[in-house]
Amino acid sequence: MKLILLGAPGAGKGTQAKRLEEAYGIVQLSTGDMLRAEVASGSEIGQELKSVMEAGNLVTDELIISMIASRVEQGDCKKGYILDGFPRTTAQAKALDAMLEEKGQKLDEVIEMKVDEDVLIGRITGRYTCAKCGQGYHDEFQKPLKEGVCDKCGGIEFARRADDNEETVRSRLVSYREQTAPIASHYDAKGMLKSVDGMADIDVVTEQLKEILG
Ligand code: AMP
């Protein structure tokens, strides 16, 4: 199964992708996570990426497309994958079409998670993750059961993304509006676009996604 989760930053793509990974035995391919790993490696290219990401801008299509092209060749993608944060521009969507066509493959679903823009800033600036297992939390909406201790693994260290501050989030939303939102029409024109209500409770959103995926 190959699917794309579309939606603004903070729509819940990453949270739901992790749940679908477990439910369907497919892998989450988050271009944001891949780029953050490159930044954390301290490489020269990582240094360049860091400044682009912290400004809330998009990195080049060329880099992202080659990153995804080699990632989908890895063995863990055989059963399928969930694209989270990719494609983010029309050029990326077209490159993905061409890549799949060349392999004789096709996407099973493209699902947009719809969320009102006015809730996104609050969702993003309050979020953090367990540094050990990556479980997501939120200052207001999803606190650990025991303060300071991860529910999932017992970890006691947490991390916040450098680009989850209000100023960067505003730029990320502009990039989304101008460059990413139009790709919904790309898939709609192919009759492939479905949507779920990303404003609903996390479990309800998962159910809506599972109804589509079967
Ligand atoms: P995300 O984790 O998906 O919110 O992505 C974090 C940041 O990584 C974005 O604000 C961009 O700077 C960069 N990024 C992630 N995915 C892409 C992509 N497909 N194209 C361009 N830039 C991306």
Side-chain angles (χ1 to χ4, degrees):
M1 181 193 291
K2 298 180 188 62
L3 70 131
I4 297 178
L5 287 183
L6 288 180
K13 302 184 296 295
T15 302
Q16 296 297 335
K18 287 204 172 61
R19 291 176 165 214
L20 298 177
E21 266 194 319
E22 285 174 24
Y24 293 91
I26 53 181
V27 287
Q28 172 195 18
L29 301 186
S30 156
T31 42
D33 284 349
M34 294 177 206
L35 296 168
R36 281 184 285 280
E38 189 65 43
V39 171
S41 78
S43 69
E44 208 169 301
I45 181 161
Q47 291 297 316
E48 285 171 34
L49 293 172
K50 187 171 188 273
S51 56
V52 174
M53 292 163 78
E54 287 183 6
N57 296 325
L58 296 184
V59 310
T60 64
D61 288 331
E62 207 185 0
L63 177 91
I64 293 286
I65 292 162
S66 70
M67 203 170 77
I68 281 289
S70 59
R71 182 65 186 86
V72 296
E73 289 298 326
Q74 292 176 17
D76 60 344
C77 291
K78 277 219 170 68
K79 268 187 85 177
Y81 46 79
I82 308 154
L83 294 171
D84 160 13
F86 174 89
R88 232 176 175 102
T89 62
T90 308
Q92 292 178 20
K94 288 185 177 160
L96 177 65
D97 289 346
M99 190 180 88
L100 291 170
E101 199 182 313
E102 201 183 313
K103 293 179 198 285
Q105 298 174 346
K106 63 177 195 60
L107 289 167
D108 295 283
E109 301 290 351
V110 179
I111 309 174
E112 184 178 14
M113 300 179 59
K114 292 189 175 241
V115 177
D116 296 345
E117 205 177 305
D118 53 3
V119 306
L120 293 172
I121 292 181
R123 275 195 184 188
I124 300 175
T125 53
R127 71 185 181 181
Y128 61 98
T129 52
C130 168
K132 200 168 154 198
C133 75
Q135 173 68 23
Y137 294 99
H138 191 280
D139 293 328
E140 270 178 74
F141 315 129
Q142 203 192 345
K143 299 179 186 175
L145 294 171
K146 185 167 176 230
E147 203 187 324
V149 182
C150 175
D151 300 342
K152 206 170 166 189
C153 76
I156 53 165
E157 281 180 31
F158 296 88
R160 283 177 198 266
R161 280 172 46 174
D163 61 349
D164 276 352
N165 63 81
E166 186 163 343
E167 194 190 342
T168 306
V169 172
R170 288 193 187 280
S171 307
R172 287 162 63 198
L173 290 175
V174 172
S175 303
Y176 175 76
R177 231 179 281 129
E178 293 177 354
Q179 292 166 276
T180 309
I183 66 175
S185 323
H186 175 84
Y187 292 107
D188 199 21
K190 291 170 176 273
M192 290 191 69
L193 188 68
K194 293 184 183 159
S195 66
V196 295
D197 175 13
M199 298 290 283
D201 182 81
I202 295 182
D203 292 339
V204 175
V205 178
T206 308
E207 284 315 309
Q208 290 177 31
L209 290 168
K210 286 184 176 170
E211 257 169 47
I212 294 176
L213 299 173

